[in-house]
Amino acid sequence: MKTRYIIYILLALVVGALVYNKFFSAKAKKADAANTKGKGAKGKGRNGPVSVRLMIVKDTTLDNNIDITGTIDANERVSLISETAGNITGIYFTEGSHVKKGQLLVKVYDKDQVAALKQNDYQIALAKQNEYRNKVLLQKEAISQQEYDTSLTGLNTLKAQSDVLKAQISKTEVRAPFSGTIGLRNVSPGGYLSPNTSIATLVNIDPAKVTFSVPEKYLQLVSKGTKVSFTVTSSEQKFKAAVYAIEPSIDVNSRTITVRAKADNPKGLLTAGSFAKINLELDQIPKTIMVPTECVVPDLKSSVVYVYHNGKAVAKPVKTDLRTASKIQIISGLKPGDSVVVSGIMQMRPKVPLKIIKVIK
């Protein structure tokens, strides 16, 4: 029984020692004093001035441009086909090579037409002699005018037949309608070629066409000659182009208008069908106010910026318009010389005390 009491007493002493060390020892008092001091400092920081950076507002020049996307198109593009059917007797181009306008590319069997043309030429020669003799006889009044007209008509008919045969022979030749690069061929020598068969694709990509759409609101700012700069994923080079044609009507679904520009492509760095990132230069605004985007705080009715006045933050409603990558245009609400708060925006409230750490001019 006594042993149990002794154990209880020892446990009580241990607990008492722990409580003393926790709350009443010199070390505990020192820690408590430090915590009290820290809390006091923290409370003072909440009520003290907010350190901010200011920007002095001034008029700047703004290049009004927009970033859009578009597609690289060929200047000319055609799928080569034959006007007549027949066996292919010759292919005179190399896939992927450059061909000149009028160059013979494919030849179709034409011996039947050539033979018919040769026969017709003999008949023309005979008809010419007959027409000449009848002309002499007519002058001597040895034959009637009707007999001479018959011989002349026969000659002209044979000449017309000759023209028909020559046209048929020309249709057995497929020639390049313009200079450009020819693609992969879909036919082989000796194969049967029909008007429905695509021989290859011929593309002219110098200059290249850049097709893109512009929002309706910018329609009055785009015209022939408007400058365009763009990049493509296949090259690190920045390309230049100029608008040369504008679609006369607006797309009712997207409310955009299609615009086309031309870009020089002497090295063939641009490929038809490529995706283009376009920067379109619209106009230049000589005097306007631009502030960092993060300065503008959206509000229920408008946007607000905070300015420094007599050591405190003052909220000013503003109207905004154009945006760049890092700035936004202020069209009303600020004037040159205002000191706009550009940091600590999350802590801004009307009449909050401010401490200036840097002024940006």
Side-chain angles (χ1 to χ4, degrees):
M1 194 70 167
K2 292 181 178 180
T3 303
R4 185 174 62 181
Y5 288 142
I6 294 172
I7 292 173
Y8 288 159
I9 293 170
L10 291 175
L11 288 174
L13 291 173
V14 171
V15 173
L18 292 174
V19 171
Y20 176 81
N21 288 332
K22 179 70 175 177
F23 298 103
F24 301 104
S25 66
K27 185 177 181 180
K29 292 180 179 180
K30 184 177 180 181
D32 184 60
N35 289 334
T36 302
K37 183 178 180 181
K39 290 180 180 178
K42 186 176 181 181
K44 184 178 179 180
R46 283 199 299 265
N47 298 325
V50 178
S51 298
V52 296
R53 290 183 293 115
L54 302 180
M55 186 189 80
I56 306 301
V57 174
K58 61 181 179 180
D59 287 328
T60 59
T61 299
L62 173 62
D63 291 323
N64 185 12
N65 50 41
I66 56 174
D67 293 322
I68 49 182
T69 58
T71 303
I72 306 299
D73 296 318
N75 183 40
E76 302 291 351
R77 181 188 180 97
V78 67
S79 180
L80 299 170
I81 59 174
S82 173
E83 291 187 68
T84 187
N87 292 325
I88 299 174
T89 59
I91 296 177
Y92 305 100
F93 69 89
T94 302
E95 295 171 295
S97 64
H98 183 80
V99 298
K100 294 182 179 180
K101 181 179 180 179
Q103 179 179 329
L104 179 62
L105 304 176
V106 175
K107 180 67 177 176
V108 176
Y109 180 83
D110 66 348
K111 292 188 180 300
D112 293 343
Q113 292 95 329
V114 171
L117 178 62
K118 189 174 183 180
Q119 181 183 21
N120 195 72
D121 288 342
Y122 291 142
Q123 293 175 348
I124 288 175
L126 180 60
K128 283 182 177 179
Q129 293 178 3
N130 186 44
E131 184 271 337
Y132 177 74
R133 284 194 297 268
N134 287 343
K135 185 177 182 180
V136 173
L137 292 173
L138 178 64
Q139 291 174 351
K140 295 179 180 180
E141 298 182 352
I143 61 173
S144 66
Q145 181 69 42
Q146 182 179 1
E147 290 177 299
Y148 172 74
D149 291 342
T150 300
S151 62
L152 179 61
T153 300
L155 174 61
N156 291 334
T157 300
L158 290 172
K159 288 181 177 180
Q161 291 177 356
S162 179
D163 291 338
V164 171
L165 289 170
K166 288 178 181 178
Q168 292 176 347
I169 293 173
S170 68
K171 289 182 179 180
T172 64
E173 299 177 345
V174 179
R175 296 181 178 272
F178 52 82
S179 299
T181 302
I182 197 164
L184 307 179
R185 61 182 171 90
N186 304 312
V187 295
S188 299
Y192 185 81
L193 184 62
S194 70
N196 297 325
T197 303
S198 173
I199 299 169
T201 300
L202 180 62
V203 176
N204 181 309
I205 195 65
D206 184 24
K209 295 178 180 178
V210 188
T211 305
F212 53 94
S213 296
V214 176
E216 180 183 0
K217 64 182 290 187
Y218 300 117
L219 177 58
Q220 300 301 321
L221 300 177
V222 181
S223 60
K224 290 184 179 181
T226 299
K227 302 300 181 183
V228 174
S229 60
F230 65 95
T231 59
V232 293
T233 55
S234 59
S235 175
E236 295 181 355
Q237 182 175 332
K238 193 170 185 179
F239 300 90
K240 299 288 186 181
V243 173
Y244 76 93
I246 301 173
E247 189 71 32
S249 61
I250 295 173
D251 188 313
V252 296
N253 296 317
S254 62
R255 294 300 173 185
T256 60
I257 190 166
T258 302
V259 179
R260 185 166 285 172
K262 279 187 178 181
D264 292 333
N265 187 32
K267 297 181 180 179
L269 298 178
L270 300 175
T271 305
S274 296
F275 175 81
K277 294 182 179 180
I278 301 167
N279 182 265
L280 178 62
E281 299 177 9
L282 298 174
D283 61 356
Q284 188 179 77
I285 303 174
K287 291 180 65 177
T288 190
I289 293 175
M290 301 293 293
V291 299
T293 305
E294 60 270 19
C295 294
V296 182
V297 181
D299 201 356
L300 293 176
K301 296 182 179 180
S302 63
S303 297
V304 170
V305 298
Y306 287 92
V307 298
Y308 178 87
H309 183 68
N310 293 334
K312 294 182 179 181
V314 176
K316 279 197 172 185
V318 294
K319 289 184 179 180
T320 63
D321 191 9
L322 302 176
R323 292 174 180 266
T324 65
S326 60
K327 293 187 176 182
I328 186 169
Q329 181 189 19
I330 305 297
I331 58 176
S332 69
L334 291 178
K335 63 181 184 299
D338 286 343
S339 300
V340 176
V341 178
V342 296
S343 67
I345 304 299
M346 296 298 294
Q347 300 170 272
M348 288 299 103
R349 299 290 185 277
K351 298 183 179 180
V352 169
L354 302 179
K355 178 182 178 182
I356 303 173
I357 58 175
K358 187 177 181 180
V359 176
I360 304 171
K361 297 183 179 180

Coordinates of all heavy atoms in Angstrom, one line a residue, residues 271-336:
T271 N 7.0 27.2 -97.3 CA 6.4 26.1 -97.9 C 4.8 26.2 -97.9 O 4.3 26.6 -96.9 CB 6.8 24.8 -97.2 OG1 8.2 24.7 -97.2 CG2 6.2 23.6 -97.9
A272 N 4.2 25.9 -99.0 CA 2.7 26.0 -99.1 C 2.1 25.2 -98.0 O 2.5 24.0 -97.8 CB 2.3 25.7 -100.5
G273 N 1.1 25.7 -97.3 CA 0.4 25.0 -96.3 C 0.9 25.2 -94.9 O 0.3 24.8 -93.9
S274 N 2.1 25.9 -94.8 CA 2.7 26.1 -93.4 C 1.8 27.1 -92.6 O 1.1 28.0 -93.1 CB 4.1 26.7 -93.6 OG 4.9 25.8 -94.3
F275 N 1.9 26.9 -91.3 CA 1.2 27.8 -90.3 C 2.1 29.0 -90.1 O 3.3 28.9 -89.9 CB 1.0 27.0 -89.0 CG 0.5 27.8 -87.9 CD1 -0.9 28.0 -87.8 CD2 1.3 28.3 -86.9 CE1 -1.4 28.8 -86.8 CE2 0.8 29.0 -85.8 CZ -0.6 29.3 -85.8
A276 N 1.5 30.2 -90.1 CA 2.2 31.4 -89.9 C 1.7 32.2 -88.7 O 0.5 32.3 -88.5 CB 2.1 32.3 -91.2
K277 N 2.7 32.7 -87.9 CA 2.3 33.6 -86.8 C 2.6 35.0 -87.3 O 3.7 35.4 -87.7 CB 3.2 33.3 -85.6 CG 2.9 32.0 -84.9 CD 3.8 31.8 -83.7 CE 3.5 30.5 -83.0 NZ 4.3 30.3 -81.8
I278 N 1.5 35.8 -87.4 CA 1.6 37.1 -88.1 C 1.4 38.3 -87.1 O 0.6 38.3 -86.2 CB 0.4 37.2 -89.1 CG1 0.6 36.0 -90.1 CG2 0.4 38.5 -89.9 CD1 -0.6 35.8 -91.0
N279 N 2.2 39.3 -87.4 CA 2.1 40.6 -86.7 C 1.7 41.6 -87.7 O 2.5 41.9 -88.6 CB 3.4 41.0 -86.0 CG 3.3 42.3 -85.2 OD1 3.6 43.4 -85.7 ND2 2.8 42.2 -84.0
L280 N 0.5 42.1 -87.6 CA -0.1 43.1 -88.5 C 0.0 44.5 -88.0 O -0.5 44.8 -87.0 CB -1.5 42.7 -88.8 CG -2.3 43.6 -89.8 CD1 -1.6 43.6 -91.2 CD2 -3.7 43.2 -89.9
E281 N 0.8 45.4 -88.8 CA 0.9 46.8 -88.4 C -0.3 47.5 -88.9 O -0.6 47.6 -90.1 CB 2.2 47.3 -89.0 CG 3.5 46.6 -88.5 CD 4.7 47.2 -89.2 OE1 4.6 48.2 -89.9 OE2 5.8 46.6 -89.1
L282 N -1.1 48.1 -87.9 CA -2.3 48.8 -88.3 C -2.1 50.3 -88.4 O -2.3 50.9 -89.5 CB -3.4 48.5 -87.2 CG -3.8 47.1 -87.1 CD1 -4.7 46.9 -86.0 CD2 -4.4 46.6 -88.4
D283 N -1.7 51.0 -87.4 CA -1.4 52.4 -87.4 C -0.5 52.8 -86.2 O -0.1 51.9 -85.4 CB -2.6 53.3 -87.4 CG -3.5 53.1 -86.2 OD1 -3.1 52.2 -85.3 OD2 -4.5 53.7 -86.0
Q284 N -0.2 54.1 -86.1 CA 0.7 54.5 -85.0 C -0.1 55.7 -84.3 O -0.5 56.6 -84.9 CB 2.0 55.0 -85.5 CG 3.0 55.4 -84.4 CD 4.3 55.9 -85.0 OE1 4.5 57.0 -85.4 NE2 5.3 55.0 -84.9
I285 N -0.2 55.5 -83.0 CA -0.8 56.6 -82.1 C 0.3 57.4 -81.5 O 1.1 56.9 -80.7 CB -1.6 55.9 -81.0 CG1 -2.7 55.0 -81.7 CG2 -2.3 57.0 -80.2 CD1 -3.5 54.2 -80.6
P286 N 0.4 58.7 -81.9 CA 1.6 59.5 -81.5 C 1.6 59.8 -80.0 O 2.7 59.9 -79.4 CB 1.5 60.8 -82.4 CG 0.0 60.8 -82.7 CD -0.5 59.4 -82.8
K287 N 0.5 60.1 -79.4 CA 0.4 60.5 -78.0 C -0.6 59.7 -77.2 O -1.8 59.8 -77.5 CB 0.2 62.0 -77.8 CG 1.3 62.9 -78.3 CD 1.0 64.3 -78.2 CE 0.8 64.7 -76.7 NZ 0.5 66.1 -76.5
T288 N -0.2 58.8 -76.3 CA -1.1 58.1 -75.5 C -0.4 57.7 -74.2 O 0.8 57.8 -74.1 CB -1.7 56.9 -76.3 OG1 -2.8 56.3 -75.5 CG2 -0.6 55.8 -76.4
I289 N -1.2 57.1 -73.3 CA -0.7 56.7 -72.0 C -0.7 55.2 -71.9 O -1.7 54.6 -72.1 CB -1.5 57.3 -70.8 CG1 -1.3 58.8 -70.8 CG2 -1.1 56.7 -69.5 CD1 -2.1 59.5 -69.7
M290 N 0.5 54.6 -71.6 CA 0.6 53.2 -71.5 C 1.1 52.9 -70.0 O 2.1 53.5 -69.6 CB 1.6 52.6 -72.5 CG 1.2 52.9 -73.9 SD -0.3 52.0 -74.4 CE 0.3 50.3 -74.3
V291 N 0.5 51.9 -69.4 CA 0.9 51.5 -68.0 C 1.0 50.0 -68.0 O 0.4 49.3 -68.8 CB -0.1 51.9 -66.9 CG1 -0.2 53.5 -66.9 CG2 -1.4 51.3 -67.1
P292 N 1.8 49.4 -67.1 CA 1.9 48.0 -67.0 C 0.6 47.3 -66.7 O -0.3 47.9 -66.0 CB 2.9 47.8 -65.8 CG 3.7 49.0 -65.7 CD 2.8 50.1 -66.2
T293 N 0.3 46.2 -67.4 CA -1.0 45.6 -67.3 C -1.4 45.3 -65.8 O -2.5 45.4 -65.5 CB -1.0 44.2 -68.1 OG1 -0.6 44.5 -69.4 CG2 -2.3 43.6 -68.1
E294 N -0.4 44.9 -65.0 CA -0.7 44.5 -63.6 C -1.2 45.7 -62.8 O -1.7 45.5 -61.7 CB 0.5 43.8 -62.9 CG 1.7 44.7 -62.9 CD 2.7 44.6 -64.0 OE1 2.2 44.1 -65.1 OE2 3.8 44.9 -63.9
C295 N -1.0 46.9 -63.3 CA -1.5 48.1 -62.5 C -3.0 48.2 -62.5 O -3.6 48.8 -61.6 CB -0.9 49.4 -63.1 SG 0.9 49.5 -63.0
V296 N -3.6 47.7 -63.6 CA -5.0 47.9 -63.7 C -5.8 46.8 -63.0 O -5.6 45.6 -63.3 CB -5.4 47.9 -65.2 CG1 -6.9 48.2 -65.4 CG2 -4.6 48.9 -66.0
V297 N -6.7 47.2 -62.1 CA -7.5 46.3 -61.3 C -8.9 46.3 -61.8 O -9.6 47.3 -61.8 CB -7.4 46.6 -59.8 CG1 -8.3 45.6 -59.0 CG2 -6.0 46.7 -59.3
P298 N -9.4 45.1 -62.3 CA -10.8 45.1 -62.8 C -11.8 45.4 -61.6 O -11.6 45.0 -60.5 CB -11.0 43.7 -63.3 CG -9.6 43.2 -63.5 CD -8.7 43.9 -62.4
D299 N -12.8 46.2 -62.0 CA -13.9 46.5 -61.0 C -15.2 46.2 -61.6 O -15.3 45.7 -62.7 CB -13.8 48.1 -60.7 CG -14.5 48.4 -59.4 OD1 -15.1 47.5 -58.8 OD2 -14.5 49.6 -59.0
L300 N -16.3 46.3 -60.8 CA -17.6 45.9 -61.3 C -18.0 46.7 -62.5 O -18.6 46.2 -63.4 CB -18.6 46.0 -60.1 CG -18.4 45.0 -59.0 CD1 -19.4 45.3 -57.9 CD2 -18.5 43.6 -59.4
K301 N -17.8 48.0 -62.4 CA -18.3 48.9 -63.4 C -17.2 49.3 -64.4 O -17.5 49.6 -65.6 CB -18.9 50.2 -62.8 CG -20.2 49.9 -62.0 CD -20.8 51.1 -61.5 CE -22.1 50.9 -60.7 NZ -22.7 52.1 -60.1
S302 N -16.0 49.4 -63.9 CA -14.9 49.8 -64.8 C -13.6 49.2 -64.2 O -13.6 48.4 -63.4 CB -14.8 51.4 -64.8 OG -14.5 51.9 -63.5
S303 N -12.5 49.8 -64.7 CA -11.2 49.3 -64.2 C -10.6 50.5 -63.3 O -10.9 51.6 -63.5 CB -10.2 49.0 -65.3 OG -10.7 47.9 -66.1
V304 N -9.7 50.1 -62.4 CA -9.1 51.1 -61.4 C -7.6 50.9 -61.4 O -7.1 49.8 -61.5 CB -9.7 50.8 -60.0 CG1 -9.0 51.6 -59.0 CG2 -11.2 51.1 -60.0
V305 N -7.0 52.1 -61.3 CA -5.5 52.1 -61.0 C -5.3 52.9 -59.7 O -6.2 53.8 -59.4 CB -4.7 52.7 -62.1 CG1 -4.8 51.9 -63.4 CG2 -5.1 54.2 -62.4
Y306 N -4.3 52.7 -59.0 CA -4.0 53.4 -57.7 C -2.8 54.4 -58.0 O -1.8 54.0 -58.6 CB -3.6 52.5 -56.6 CG -4.8 51.7 -56.1 CD1 -5.2 50.5 -56.6 CD2 -5.6 52.2 -55.1 CE1 -6.3 49.8 -56.1 CE2 -6.8 51.5 -54.6 CZ -7.1 50.3 -55.2 OH -8.2 49.6 -54.7
V307 N -3.0 55.6 -57.6 CA -2.0 56.7 -57.7 C -1.6 57.1 -56.3 O -2.3 57.0 -55.3 CB -2.5 57.8 -58.6 CG1 -2.9 57.4 -59.9 CG2 -3.7 58.5 -57.9
Y308 N -0.4 57.7 -56.2 CA 0.2 58.2 -55.0 C -0.2 59.6 -54.8 O 0.0 60.5 -55.7 CB 1.7 58.0 -55.0 CG 2.4 58.6 -53.8 CD1 2.6 57.8 -52.7 CD2 2.9 59.9 -53.8 CE1 3.2 58.3 -51.6 CE2 3.5 60.4 -52.7 CZ 3.7 59.6 -51.6 OH 4.4 60.1 -50.5
H309 N -0.8 60.0 -53.7 CA -1.2 61.3 -53.4 C -1.2 61.6 -51.9 O -1.8 61.0 -51.1 CB -2.7 61.6 -53.9 CG -3.1 63.0 -53.7 ND1 -2.6 64.1 -54.5 CD2 -4.1 63.6 -52.9 CE1 -3.2 65.2 -54.1 NE2 -4.1 64.9 -53.2
N310 N -0.3 62.6 -51.6 CA -0.1 63.0 -50.2 C 0.2 61.8 -49.3 O -0.3 61.6 -48.2 CB -1.3 63.7 -49.6 CG -1.5 65.0 -50.3 OD1 -0.5 65.7 -50.8 ND2 -2.8 65.5 -50.4
G311 N 1.0 60.8 -49.8 CA 1.5 59.7 -49.0 C 0.5 58.6 -48.9 O 0.8 57.6 -48.2
K312 N -0.6 58.6 -49.6 CA -1.6 57.6 -49.5 C -2.0 57.1 -50.9 O -1.8 57.8 -51.9 CB -2.8 58.0 -48.7 CG -2.5 58.3 -47.3 CD -3.8 58.7 -46.5 CE -3.5 59.0 -45.0 NZ -4.7 59.4 -44.3
A313 N -2.7 56.0 -51.0 CA -3.2 55.4 -52.3 C -4.6 56.0 -52.6 O -5.4 56.0 -51.7 CB -3.2 53.9 -52.2
V314 N -4.7 56.4 -53.8 CA -6.0 56.9 -54.2 C -6.4 56.1 -55.5 O -5.7 56.0 -56.4 CB -5.9 58.4 -54.6 CG1 -7.3 58.9 -55.2 CG2 -5.5 59.2 -53.4
A315 N -7.6 55.6 -55.4 CA -8.2 54.8 -56.5 C -8.8 55.7 -57.6 O -9.5 56.6 -57.3 CB -9.2 53.8 -56.1
K316 N -8.3 55.5 -58.9 CA -8.9 56.3 -60.0 C -9.5 55.3 -61.0 O -8.8 54.5 -61.6 CB -7.7 57.1 -60.6 CG -7.4 58.4 -59.9 CD -6.6 59.3 -60.8 CE -6.5 60.7 -60.2 NZ -5.8 61.6 -61.1
P317 N -10.8 55.5 -61.4 CA -11.4 54.7 -62.4 C -10.8 55.1 -63.8 O -10.5 56.3 -64.0 CB -12.9 55.1 -62.4 CG -13.0 55.7 -61.0 CD -11.7 56.4 -60.7
V318 N -10.5 54.2 -64.6 CA -9.9 54.4 -65.9 C -10.6 53.6 -67.0 O -11.3 52.6 -66.7 CB -8.4 54.1 -65.9 CG1 -7.6 55.0 -65.0 CG2 -8.2 52.6 -65.6
K319 N -10.4 54.1 -68.2 CA -10.9 53.3 -69.4 C -9.7 52.9 -70.2 O -8.8 53.6 -70.4 CB -11.8 54.2 -70.3 CG -13.2 54.5 -69.7 CD -14.1 55.3 -70.6 CE -15.4 55.6 -70.0 NZ -16.3 56.3 -71.0
T320 N -9.7 51.6 -70.6 CA -8.6 51.0 -71.3 C -9.0 50.7 -72.7 O -10.2 50.6 -73.1 CB -8.1 49.7 -70.6 OG1 -9.2 48.8 -70.6 CG2 -7.8 50.1 -69.1
D321 N -8.0 50.4 -73.6 CA -8.3 50.0 -75.0 C -7.3 49.0 -75.4 O -7.4 47.8 -75.1 CB -8.2 51.3 -75.9 CG -8.8 51.0 -77.2 OD1 -9.3 49.9 -77.4 OD2 -8.7 51.9 -78.1
L322 N -6.2 49.4 -76.1 CA -5.3 48.4 -76.7 C -4.4 47.8 -75.7 O -4.0 48.5 -74.7 CB -4.5 49.1 -77.8 CG -5.3 49.8 -79.0 CD1 -4.4 50.5 -79.9 CD2 -6.1 48.7 -79.7
R323 N -3.9 46.6 -76.0 CA -3.0 45.9 -75.1 C -1.8 45.5 -75.9 O -1.9 45.2 -77.1 CB -3.6 44.7 -74.5 CG -4.7 45.0 -73.5 CD -5.4 43.7 -73.0 NE -6.4 43.9 -72.1 CZ -6.3 43.9 -70.8 NH1 -5.1 43.6 -70.2 NH2 -7.3 44.1 -69.9
T324 N -0.6 45.5 -75.3 CA 0.6 44.9 -75.8 C 1.0 43.7 -74.9 O 0.2 43.3 -74.1 CB 1.8 45.9 -75.9 OG1 2.1 46.2 -74.5 CG2 1.4 47.1 -76.6
A325 N 2.1 43.1 -75.1 CA 2.5 42.0 -74.3 C 2.6 42.3 -72.9 O 2.3 41.4 -72.0 CB 3.9 41.4 -74.8
S326 N 3.0 43.5 -72.5 CA 3.1 43.8 -71.1 C 2.4 45.1 -70.6 O 2.4 45.4 -69.4 CB 4.6 44.0 -70.8 OG 5.2 45.0 -71.5
K327 N 1.8 45.9 -71.6 CA 1.2 47.1 -71.2 C -0.2 47.2 -71.7 O -0.6 46.5 -72.6 CB 2.1 48.3 -71.6 CG 3.4 48.4 -70.9 CD 4.2 49.7 -71.3 CE 5.5 49.8 -70.5 NZ 6.2 51.0 -70.8
I328 N -0.9 48.2 -71.2 CA -2.3 48.5 -71.6 C -2.5 50.0 -71.8 O -1.9 50.8 -71.0 CB -3.3 47.9 -70.6 CG1 -4.7 48.0 -71.1 CG2 -3.1 48.5 -69.2 CD1 -5.7 47.2 -70.3
Q329 N -3.3 50.3 -72.8 CA -3.5 51.8 -73.1 C -4.6 52.3 -72.2 O -5.6 51.7 -72.0 CB -3.9 51.9 -74.6 CG -4.1 53.4 -75.0 CD -4.7 53.5 -76.4 OE1 -5.3 52.5 -76.9 NE2 -4.6 54.7 -77.0
I330 N -4.3 53.5 -71.6 CA -5.3 54.2 -70.8 C -5.8 55.4 -71.6 O -5.1 56.3 -72.0 CB -4.7 54.7 -69.5 CG1 -4.1 53.6 -68.7 CG2 -5.8 55.4 -68.7 CD1 -5.1 52.5 -68.3
I331 N -7.1 55.4 -72.0 CA -7.7 56.4 -72.8 C -8.3 57.5 -72.0 O -8.6 58.6 -72.5 CB -8.6 55.9 -73.9 CG1 -9.8 55.1 -73.2 CG2 -7.9 55.0 -74.9 CD1 -10.8 54.6 -74.2
S332 N -8.6 57.3 -70.7 CA -9.2 58.3 -69.8 C -9.0 57.9 -68.4 O -8.9 56.7 -68.1 CB -10.7 58.5 -70.1 OG -11.5 57.4 -69.7
G333 N -8.8 58.9 -67.5 CA -8.7 58.6 -66.1 C -7.3 59.0 -65.6 O -7.2 59.2 -64.3
L334 N -6.3 59.1 -66.4 CA -5.0 59.5 -66.0 C -4.5 60.6 -66.9 O -4.9 60.8 -68.0 CB -4.0 58.3 -66.1 CG -4.2 57.1 -65.2 CD1 -3.1 56.0 -65.5 CD2 -4.0 57.6 -63.7
K335 N -3.5 61.3 -66.4 CA -2.9 62.4 -67.1 C -1.4 62.4 -66.9 O -0.9 61.8 -65.9 CB -3.5 63.8 -66.7 CG -3.2 64.2 -65.3 CD -3.9 65.5 -64.9 CE -3.6 66.0 -63.5 NZ -4.1 65.0 -62.5
P336 N -0.6 62.9 -67.8 CA 0.8 63.0 -67.6 C 1.2 63.6 -66.3 O 0.6 64.6 -65.9 CB 1.3 63.8 -68.8 CG 0.2 63.6 -69.9 CD -1.0 63.5 -69.1

